[in-house]
Amino acid sequence: MTHTPGSNPGGATGTNPLWGGRFTTGASSLLEEINSSVHFDFRLAEQDVAGSIAHARMLVDQGVISVDEGQAIVNGLKIIAAEIAAGDLVLDRALEDVHMNIEARLHDLIGPVAGRLHTGRSRNDQVAVDTKLWVRDAIDRLDSLLADTIRVLAERAETHCADVMPGFTHLQCAQPVTVGHHLLAYGEMFLRDRDRLLDARRRLNESPLGAAALAGTSYPINPDQTAAELGFNGVFRNSLDAVSDRDFILDYVGAGATLSIHMSRLAEEIVIWSTPQFGFVTLPEDLSAGSSIMPQKRNPDAAELVRAKAGRVIGSLITLLTVLKALPLAYSRDMQEDKEALFDAADTLELCVRTTKAMLTGIVLHTKKTRADAEIGNATATDLADWLVAERGVPFRESHGIVGRVVKALEAEGRELRHADPEQLATLEPRFAGLPADVLIVDHAVARRTSPGGTAPIRVSEAAATLRKLNEQLSIKEPAK
């Protein structure tokens, strides 16, 4: 689609065809500039044509317009749909928005009968239905991308179900876990993100078409017919709410903001892990960038940008909340400002999910390094305390103190538990006599954690299969009509 500027950029334009009867002069160039939304709401063009076709067919079936008029309108709209698909529709800023541009183009194609299309309809319910259709499509695109990303996570988790890595709290060494277990934590986050998106989709799937400006219409319309044709599961129950509701945008962008935080957390870990100091992963070259001055650099730019772009999505949510705050019923032109934030959030989310999937697919995990680092920081201290509880009957709080003192004593010697053997520990605490050596081995510590949701390889393998199954089962479920 191409755009043309307004007709008289230096002064007042001709009277607007929507309200020319009320005004004797046209809008100033300043009003035209601030009023125009066609430079961004052109993205609703496909949905606008679909809604208009459904409306025209309903008007025919209800006897509001003739069969010939309806056929001419539908045929003209199909031509416009083809022009939209080919990128050939020319849009004029002086006509304010995409809706008036399409109506003007329809008039060019079929003449005055085009004016019959808007019978029983307002731009208020027209914009609302177009935006709902667009958001529904955006949810479906994002959900599909996210489902693919979860499949990659489940596959990689299964592959690395037994590879040990350090588990952290406070970014300090805590207990050993497996790489697969760590990856599955993000799989669970993304699965919840899908659930939030599909819940938002279910809630938005009521058609506002037929609410007209705010009070309904005196024409004998059939909103159920247009709702069914457009794939909605139901129809609005209050016309004021139908034209003023933008909760569905907040739901989508709100769910997207949570998703963006999850992607940002994963991206942050990839940034850290890819440093030489950690050395856990290497990003593929095609997702990395160099330096203009330092020839050795291989920077994780893709991960850094996913991390940063969470701010854009969160910013879009704040913009939307602020625009909608304190708006009286029903429609105010403020609502025009919802589109740019919506579109930017949608574009950003889809780009980031595609990038996240590519990183998860192409990343090389250095499992020898992760295992070596899992031994650092006295990572088996909890297992040592648990052994005293299980084998020597020591209350856990007492065993916690015993192991803490042992760690402190080793630290004074510049050593950790990984440097000690059972005999040496027994000299520090007699109750460690008879301690099996494998209690101090990280693989043993991981294998012991077989509790539900635990990091034992057998549990990680099961969890990966469960995640894969839940991901496949999670789909659009409409309530029965």
Side-chain angles (χ1 to χ4, degrees), residues 182-394:
H182 196 103
L183 292 175
L184 286 177
Y186 287 101
E188 294 294 333
M189 294 181 212
F190 292 154
L191 193 69
R192 291 195 298 272
D193 290 321
R194 285 196 64 204
D195 188 59
R196 271 184 284 269
L197 286 167
L198 294 176
D199 188 50
R201 190 190 194 281
R202 175 192 59 78
R203 204 161 28 247
L204 76 74
N205 213 27
E206 292 181 348
S207 174
L209 194 55
L214 76 161
T217 178
S218 59
Y219 292 98
I221 61 170
N222 183 0
D224 289 315
Q225 178 179 337
T226 51
E229 180 166 341
L230 295 171
F232 288 104
N233 194 65
V235 179
F236 68 93
R237 291 175 296 280
N238 182 283
S239 59
L240 283 168
D241 178 62
V243 298
S244 62
D245 170 36
R246 295 298 183 270
D247 289 1
F248 61 96
I249 300 180
L250 295 178
D251 283 350
Y252 167 62
V253 180
T258 303
L259 166 59
S260 73
I261 290 171
H262 293 156
M263 290 189 289
S264 182
R265 294 180 72 178
L266 174 58
E268 166 72 358
E269 297 211 288
I270 290 173
V271 169
I272 294 172
W273 292 350
S274 65
T275 62
Q277 288 74 18
F278 265 76
F280 287 2
V281 302
T282 300
L283 274 170
E285 287 191 2
D286 61 356
L287 294 175
S288 306
S291 164
S292 64
I293 187 172
M294 296 169 284
Q296 85 281 8
K297 294 300 291 296
R298 181 165 168 170
N299 298 324
D301 283 30
E304 290 171 341
L305 288 166
V306 168
R307 180 178 62 184
K309 286 181 183 294
R312 289 184 70 145
V313 181
I314 294 167
S316 293
L317 178 60
I318 297 301
T319 296
L320 290 161
L321 289 167
T322 306
V323 166
L324 295 171
K325 177 191 68 66
L327 283 186
L329 292 176
Y331 179 84
S332 296
R333 197 56 180 264
D334 308 52
M335 291 182 180
Q336 177 174 296
E337 292 301 306
D338 63 3
K339 306 298 183 303
E340 288 181 287
L342 165 63
F343 296 149
D344 188 75
D347 292 344
T348 302
L349 286 165
E350 291 175 30
L351 175 60
C352 287
V353 175
R354 289 192 289 112
T355 305
T356 298
K357 178 189 172 185
M359 288 193 295
L360 289 168
T361 301
I363 203 167
V364 176
L365 286 151
H366 304 303
T367 54
K368 289 183 179 178
K369 181 63 163 63
T370 62
R371 189 195 183 285
D373 279 18
E375 297 178 340
I376 297 174
N378 300 293
T380 57
T382 305
D383 297 86
L384 200 57
D386 287 342
W387 185 85
L388 285 175
V389 173
E391 302 298 327
R392 296 293 181 260
V394 179

Side-chain angles (χ1 to χ4, degrees), residues 3-7 13-20 23 26-28 31-42 91-102 104 123-124 127 331 333 336:
H3 300 77
T4 63
S7 54
T13 65
T15 56
N16 190 299
L18 279 136
W19 52 75
F23 291 79
S28 71
L31 179 60
E32 182 181 289
E33 183 178 353
I34 196 171
N35 209 31
S36 177
S37 60
V38 72
H39 58 288
F40 54 83
D41 69 13
F42 71 90
L91 302 173
D92 186 349
R93 192 185 75 181
L95 293 174
E96 287 191 15
D97 57 31
V98 67
H99 319 288
M100 284 307 301
N101 270 271
I102 288 174
R123 268 199 304 180
N124 292 356
V127 171
Y331 179 84
R333 197 56 180 264
Q336 177 174 296

Side-chain angles (χ1 to χ4, degrees), residues 106-128:
L106 185 62
H107 187 278
D108 292 342
L109 291 170
I110 66 172
V113 72
R116 301 281 279 165
L117 172 61
H118 211 54
T119 307
R121 184 178 73 170
S122 164
R123 268 199 304 180
N124 292 356
D125 61 341
Q126 183 181 2
V127 171

Side-chain angles (χ1 to χ4, degrees), residues 53 63 134 158 187 211 234 293 296 363 384 412 415 426-427 432 436:
I53 288 175
W134 196 95
E158 177 62 36
I293 187 172
Q296 85 281 8
I363 203 167
L384 200 57
R415 297 192 299 156
T427 64
F432 282 130

Side-chain angles (χ1 to χ4, degrees), residues 388-407:
L388 285 175
V389 173
E391 302 298 327
R392 296 293 181 260
V394 179
F396 182 79
R397 282 300 166 208
E398 183 181 347
S399 72
H400 184 287
I402 291 170
V403 175
R405 288 189 291 273
V406 167
V407 168

